[in-house]
Amino acid sequence: MRRRLERMMGQYGQTVTLKRRGQEPRETRAFLQPDLKRREALPLTATPLGAVSVQRWRYLGPRDQELAPGDRVAWGGLRLVVQEARAVGWQDETFYQWAVLRPEKEAAE
């Protein structure tokens, strides 16, 4: 199952650049999606996917590319900062990395 997820990331994921504190930037394949919300209080943008919060993004990445709060993720012109991250396990091993990201500009404020 882990290999299947890794193949799916390689085939269907986006090429993102990870910048961990104190390390050189590194490219990897991961799933990066806007956080779909239905709350009226959040700033939303209408897209073909529905109402998209421009404040938060979800990241699913390779199990060996750990992220920590404050790390950076770039994709195209989008620059994001890791707000929360954790390794997701399955049976006795790490299955993938999960993170919540926010725009870099927001993080600087």
Side-chain angles (χ1 to χ4, degrees):
M1 192 162 167
R2 178 181 48 82
R3 287 188 200 128
R4 182 179 291 169
L5 179 59
E6 289 170 352
R7 282 195 308 269
M8 288 173 43
M9 276 185 216
Q11 187 172 0
Y12 302 111
Q14 297 102 316
T15 299
V16 299
T17 302
L18 305 179
K19 175 68 172 102
R20 298 204 61 208
R21 291 183 184 188
Q23 296 183 6
E24 292 296 316
R26 164 171 31 181
E27 281 192 353
T28 193
R29 302 279 289 183
F31 295 114
L32 184 63
Q33 297 294 317
D35 188 5
L36 302 178
K37 297 285 185 186
R38 297 206 182 266
R39 295 184 206 153
E40 294 178 16
L42 293 174
L44 299 174
T45 302
T47 73
L49 298 173
V52 175
S53 168
V54 294
Q55 293 182 339
R56 301 289 177 262
W57 290 74
R58 300 285 180 195
Y59 170 95
L60 295 178
R63 65 191 185 112
D64 61 344
Q65 301 290 324
E66 293 180 24
L67 293 174
D71 290 345
R72 305 285 198 261
V73 176
W75 175 60
L78 191 61
R79 304 288 179 255
L80 303 164
V81 177
V82 176
Q83 178 178 351
E84 178 183 347
R86 70 175 66 107
V88 177
W90 185 66
Q91 293 185 344
D92 293 332
E93 65 181 325
T94 298
F95 196 55
Y96 61 88
Q97 300 292 326
W98 173 92
V100 174
L101 313 171
R102 63 181 184 271
E104 190 171 56
K105 191 183 278 186
E106 179 186 327
E109 295 173 356

